[in-house]
Amino acid sequence: LNAMLDLVSRAKNVPVYQYLGGPVRFKARLLAHLEGHTPAESAASLERAKRQGFQAFTTAAPQRDAMIPLRAYADLVHKHMADMQALAGPSAEWVLDGEAAMTPGDAATVANTLERLHPIWFDEPTSVVTPDALSKIVDESVMPIGLGRAITDIAGFQSLLTSGSVNIVRPDLSRNSLAKIKRIAALAETHYVAIAPFHNGGPIGAMAGIHLNA
């Protein structure tokens, strides 16, 4: 469907956002997804993104060795986030990507540790999205939680929203059509939940996201 929208808009010389209902805004905020798991590994992509005008960034949480105690790991994540903030400067904003690698209990501890650093949200902290598991995270901190990158059906997003355990829904632009994401956004609005479509690919997908934002 996205490809068809692109073909029609090119044939008619009309922007894609016109076929999605017309513009409601003329600015879009974009996140730059940084490479690497340490400040040293991410420095080059951070500088490149800043030169391109990005002001908000996603950094991956440090990988956890099974032998590292949870408290020590939470402190490591805190240090990583603080180091990335210092590297980018005070005007930069951050999202921490958990890459769905933590258990709900571990994610709750990390989320609680992150509160003092005020990232925009904690993205995909866990792959377990049952209401009882997610409640362990949201009940123990005020850290906004982003979820939904692996969900492809609207019913899955409905279930996530009904549980009240998500602050930002994250439908993947490569897995969902723009029209479907519009429906997901309307659904999220009824639950007073924000939406920030996920994309970690090439410029065509990025432009599709910008048109959707418009």
Side-chain angles (χ1 to χ4, degrees), residues 70-83:
L70 176 57
R71 186 68 261 169
Y73 177 66
D75 290 342
L76 178 64
V77 175
H78 182 279
K79 183 179 185 303
H80 170 80
M81 192 80 254
D83 288 347

Side-chain angles (χ1 to χ4, degrees), residues 47-69:
E47 286 305 311
R48 183 167 60 251
K50 288 175 68 177
R51 287 196 302 270
Q52 293 171 340
F54 286 92
Q55 298 177 329
F57 311 92
T58 298
T59 182
Q63 296 175 332
R64 183 183 179 187
D65 187 296
M67 300 303 292
I68 299 178

